[in-house]
Amino acid sequence: MEFHDVDQNSVRISDRSAGVPPALAGASHPRPPFWASLVATFFGIGRLKPGPGTWGSVATVIIWALVSWRIPPNARTWATIAAAIVVTIVGIPAATRVVRASGLKDPQFIVIDEVAGQLVALIAVPLAWKTFLAGLILFRVFDILKPPPVRQLERLPEGLGVVVDDLGAGLYALIIMHLLLHFRLLTG
């Protein structure tokens, strides 16, 4: 334990709480609302181990593959864009509430960001196992590597930073996916 003099008084600060104002040291965080936990963990998928982000991406690809078959072909691109927007709009406040409650910058169990980014990676992608697998792999690679400016997007506050960096990774994956499709590397 360390002792620091502050305003003529001794304040005990443990090593664990160093840098945290004494009034906050050891303070518990309120639980996030149930809806926020449900959304942020994508209905609990974020609690799966190992690699909750990968589980979130796999679940998204499977669910989107099943849903997209029922959408008319001329509406699939817009449906994918709309789904990514809705997930983002709901995911940012949910992630913010869970981040605040956990006291962590970007808890691994929050996977709604992977859902949003994975959907971006699947925009205007033909329905085929090769394209879904390529979209999954490309998104996970860019989400893990976080090339510029994706890494910098993490610095945005709370849920915004949690979700927006994955949207950036999704955009990188989308670009590479469409290059692969353009050069017919995913056919046959």
Side-chain angles (χ1 to χ4, degrees), residues 10-111:
S10 292
V11 177
R12 190 164 68 183
I13 301 175
S14 71
D15 289 335
R16 233 178 47 171
S17 63
V20 177
L24 298 178
S28 64
H29 298 279
R31 295 186 78 139
F34 178 72
W35 74 267
S37 291
L38 201 61
V39 168
T41 64
F42 197 46
F43 303 97
I45 289 172
R47 304 281 183 197
L48 296 175
K49 303 285 183 199
T54 299
W55 286 110
S57 292
V58 168
T60 303
V61 169
I62 291 169
I63 291 168
W64 192 246
L66 295 172
V67 168
S68 60
W69 284 104
R70 292 173 169 58
I71 300 171
N74 61 341
R76 285 185 189 137
T77 296
W78 290 110
T80 313
I81 293 168
I85 290 170
V86 168
V87 168
T88 300
I89 289 171
V90 175
I92 290 172
T96 294
R97 283 168 178 82
V98 173
V99 162
R100 287 177 184 169
S102 71
L104 302 171
K105 171 94 172 105
D106 189 354
Q108 284 189 331
F109 58 84
I110 294 178
V111 296

Side-chain angles (χ1 to χ4, degrees), residues 4-11:
H4 298 282
D5 288 331
V6 178
D7 297 329
Q8 312 281 340
N9 298 318
S10 292
V11 177

Side-chain angles (χ1 to χ4, degrees), residues 7 38 50 80 131 133 143 175 178 188:
D7 297 329
L38 201 61
T80 313
T131 54
L133 181 61
D143 189 30
I175 291 166
H178 283 277

Side-chain angles (χ1 to χ4, degrees), residues 88 92 95-96 99-100 104-107 110 113 146 149-169:
T88 300
I92 290 172
T96 294
V99 162
R100 287 177 184 169
L104 302 171
K105 171 94 172 105
D106 189 354
I110 294 178
D113 51 334
K146 297 194 185 306
V150 174
R151 172 94 42 214
Q152 290 74 17
L153 294 172
E154 281 184 312
R155 296 183 192 137
L156 293 169
E158 301 178 320
L160 188 63
V162 170
V163 175
V164 173
D165 74 305
D166 283 51
L167 294 175

